[in-house]
Amino acid sequence: MKTEYKYLGRVNSPEDLKKLNENEIKELCSEIRDKIVATTEKNGGHLASNLGVVELSVAIHKVFDCPRDHIIFDVGHQSYTHKLLTERYERFDTLRQAGGITGFTNRDESKYDCFGAGHSSTSLSAGLGFARSDKLSGNDAYTVVVLGDGAFTGGMIHEALNNCSKDLKLIIILNENEMSISKNIGRFAKSIAKLRHKRGYFKAKRFTVSFIKKIPLIGKWLFGKMRDAKKSLKNRLYGSNYFEDMGLYYLGPADGNNYRDVESLLEAAKSAGECVLVHLKTKKGKGYDPAEENPGKFHGLRPENTDECQSSFSSEFGRAICSLANDDARICAITAAMSSGTGLDDFAAAYPERFFDVGIAEEHAVTFAAGLAANGYKPVFAVYSSFLQRSYDQIIHDVALQRLPVVFCVDRAGFNNSDGATHHGVFDVAFASQIPGVKIYTPVTYQGLRLSLKQAFDDDTAVLIRYPSGSEIEDAKQAFYGDYDEKIGVRCDFLPDSKPNNIIVTHGRIVSECLKAEKTLQNNGMTVGTVLCEYVAPYDALAEEIGDIIGRSKPQNLYFVEEEIKSGGFGMILSQKLRDKGYLNDINCKIFATEDPFVARNVGQRYLEASKLDHKSLANAMINE
């Protein structure tokens, strides 16, 4: 039964919000928290981060005029309050559902979402683009950028800060909550924490400004000179801070969960007439005790009725890497603020001197790993597939070009039905396949993962080990694995001397859809076999193994199926290798892969179905081939 809210249900837009008084807004904030908790408990989603920015988000919409003024949330996963206040309350129950509203800001979803993001540290660069273009066109709109302190562990924020100038109507809101997903790491996070102890400075600042403005006949020139003098004096008495050293007008810190304080500070920033940084301190998980006590655990929730797997590829990776590190003191583990998500918490506890959380800095993580490898260590970088994209240049220039043995454990490979297109792991095979010397392993069982890791540390080149979220693929385990030999390779679900007319060649999680499609084809009188590749690159070696199977079976049709982007991917490269080696003479070949990983889903659809890669679509296409 749908909950009736006194205020939330009637605040359909920022204009409605502006009609509420402070007491009504306090009640509205409570209702927003209730709605966010109820929805994320049902649908899954980012909870703690959104609960922490309720008052902040409400105050932004009260002070500024969105969509005329641009509001940009870093990552975008903290935008639930923003969505509720911008004509999406009635659809909020569809959050993160097929055909529903997304868990991040999305330009295609609403005029109020001026810039989309699913990755961190992009907001300020985009905000600068908006603010500068407004100035060029004579538009007096404000640009408001909301970013957490965790974003500052990513280099893009600092690059953007270096390009901020006073003449822009840009308001930068630093939401300090001491968390990204894992607790913030690094010297910048420690520097931010020190600012809270400098209350005396802010009293001196207010007094100085008040005193100067009361002096008669003070012009702009003299005021500027006095301001410079004040800054010099303040630096001597209290020390400067990072933002003022960058030339920004700094306001704060203030309690970001106190609506009156936030609104007052934003009004001051709006009237300052220059680029301003507003420093707020919020509590992640505010108003929901379990999330306040453990914000990391409640960063993201699973949908209701979702089985909490006792094991997953991430957790099995964590156990395997701990075991290997126990026998080899040269093995080091690196994460980019995702130790829990990638399964490295146990490694961090067992081998703290060999565990490195570099913050949200994937580019740095890869080159750091290259340095470790060049000096004789065995680094493994555990990272989500979609986040690895950010470090493509470093993989090429710093790792592959120098033939350094860095191991990349690429988590969340394949489509992401909950978070959507921003988190699809569908590009890594295509982009890594273009890099000379890089090996790509694709285990679908825990045993395959362990063997891949063991082999990777024996290789003398860069290795990607890619695996999906969730647990091992049970139907693949039953179909392909009997007495497991101690090597990774190519496996068939048919006997070597059998001759199926149709052969499906695949790798990764989608093998489950292939096996279901195979049954449908067999029920239609077709002879079918499936070949599972536990590795993708090197393609020459893979082509020899697949070519041997083709030579013995002599099929009429060969189907390549992959849960990735088609262009430049597994099917295209492998089929060309087979063709060049003369294995595909008189054989009909077809590649099934996604042409558009950003495709929109209809209500109830998985991304596999939207891309026609589910078993029903595959079987129908093969029957009609």
Side-chain angles (χ1 to χ4, degrees), residues 309-327 342-348 350-351 446 449-450 453 467 470-471:
C309 295
Q310 294 298 316
S311 66
S312 65
F313 274 103
S314 302
S315 61
E316 287 297 320
F317 157 70
R319 282 187 274 272
I321 199 68
C322 282
S323 177
L324 291 167
N326 184 59
D327 298 329
T342 58
L344 283 176
D345 281 348
D346 288 344
F347 188 99
Y351 308 103
Y446 298 150
L449 174 61
R450 290 188 287 270
L453 275 169
Y467 41 86
S471 57

Side-chain angles (χ1 to χ4, degrees), residues 415 502-522 524 526 528 530 557 559-564 590-594 606-625:
F415 286 117
N502 305 274
I503 291 181
I504 301 170
V505 181
T506 189
H507 71 93
R509 176 175 61 182
I510 202 170
V511 66
S512 181
E513 300 293 324
C514 294
L515 291 172
K516 293 173 184 174
E518 178 183 317
K519 290 182 180 179
T520 300
L521 297 179
Q522 289 171 343
N524 278 267
M526 300 170 65
V528 190
T530 298
N557 298 298
Y559 303 115
F560 301 92
V561 181
E562 57 192 306
E563 191 180 347
E564 298 100 36
K590 187 173 179 62
I591 299 169
F592 295 92
T594 180
R606 295 179 298 158
Y607 278 104
L608 283 175
E609 293 161 351
S611 298
K612 300 188 183 306
L613 293 173
D614 63 293
H615 67 277
K616 291 181 180 178
S617 297
L618 290 172
N620 287 336
M622 292 174 187
I623 289 171
N624 295 320
E625 182 66 21

Side-chain angles (χ1 to χ4, degrees), residues 544-583:
E544 290 296 336
E545 289 201 64
I546 301 297
D548 183 59
I549 295 169
I550 294 171
R552 296 197 312 268
S553 303
K554 296 180 171 52
Q556 294 176 347
N557 298 298
L558 192 64
Y559 303 115
F560 301 92
V561 181
E562 57 192 306
E563 191 180 347
E564 298 100 36
I565 190 74
K566 180 177 182 179
S567 181
F570 161 77
M572 291 187 71
I573 296 175
L574 180 56
S575 61
Q576 188 60 53
K577 290 285 185 183
L578 290 168
R579 190 168 288 107
D580 291 345
K581 293 176 181 291
Y583 289 116

Side-chain angles (χ1 to χ4, degrees), residues 315-478:
S315 61
E316 287 297 320
F317 157 70
R319 282 187 274 272
I321 199 68
C322 282
S323 177
L324 291 167
N326 184 59
D327 298 329
D328 191 338
R330 294 174 297 166
I331 292 177
C332 300
I334 303 167
T335 182
M338 293 293 293
S339 60
S340 296
T342 58
L344 283 176
D345 281 348
D346 288 344
F347 188 99
Y351 308 103
E353 74 284 355
R354 288 189 271 155
F355 170 75
F356 305 98
D357 186 339
V358 300
I360 305 172
E362 292 84 0
E363 302 97 324
H364 162 60
V366 173
T367 304
F368 171 57
L372 287 169
N375 207 28
Y377 277 78
K378 296 182 177 181
V380 54
F381 178 30
V383 59
Y384 288 9
S385 173
S386 57
F387 298 159
L388 183 65
Q389 295 162 187
R390 312 184 83 175
S391 55
Y392 189 43
D393 175 66
Q394 286 72 25
I395 297 172
I396 295 173
H397 182 270
D398 300 326
V399 176
L401 183 63
Q402 303 185 91
R403 298 183 298 280
L404 292 172
V406 175
V407 178
F408 299 89
C409 284
V410 185
D411 206 329
R412 271 53 168 192
F415 286 117
N416 189 312
N417 284 303
S418 296
D419 287 331
T422 58
H423 285 61
H424 286 339
V426 297
F427 294 100
D428 57 274
V429 169
F431 73 63
S433 294
Q434 315 307 316
I435 306 174
V438 174
K439 294 183 178 180
I440 305 173
Y441 299 152
T442 57
V444 297
T445 64
Y446 298 150
Q447 174 70 352
L449 174 61
R450 290 188 287 270
L451 288 176
S452 296
L453 275 169
K454 184 178 179 181
Q455 180 61 49
F457 284 120
D458 290 334
D459 288 331
D460 58 356
T461 187
V463 177
L464 268 70
I465 304 174
R466 66 186 311 269
Y467 41 86
S469 61
S471 57
E472 61 185 345
I473 315 303
E474 283 296 333
D475 49 3
K477 189 175 180 180
Q478 295 171 13

Side-chain angles (χ1 to χ4, degrees), residues 194-225:
K194 290 180 181 178
L195 290 176
R196 66 169 63 105
H197 300 299
K198 298 187 177 181
R199 297 291 185 181
Y201 153 63
F202 298 104
K203 293 180 180 179
K205 183 173 185 175
R206 287 192 293 269
F207 172 79
T208 304
V209 171
S210 176
F211 176 79
I212 292 172
K213 287 185 175 179
K214 289 179 181 178
I215 299 175
L217 303 178
I218 293 293
K220 291 184 178 180
W221 178 85
L222 182 57
F223 179 78
K225 290 293 183 182

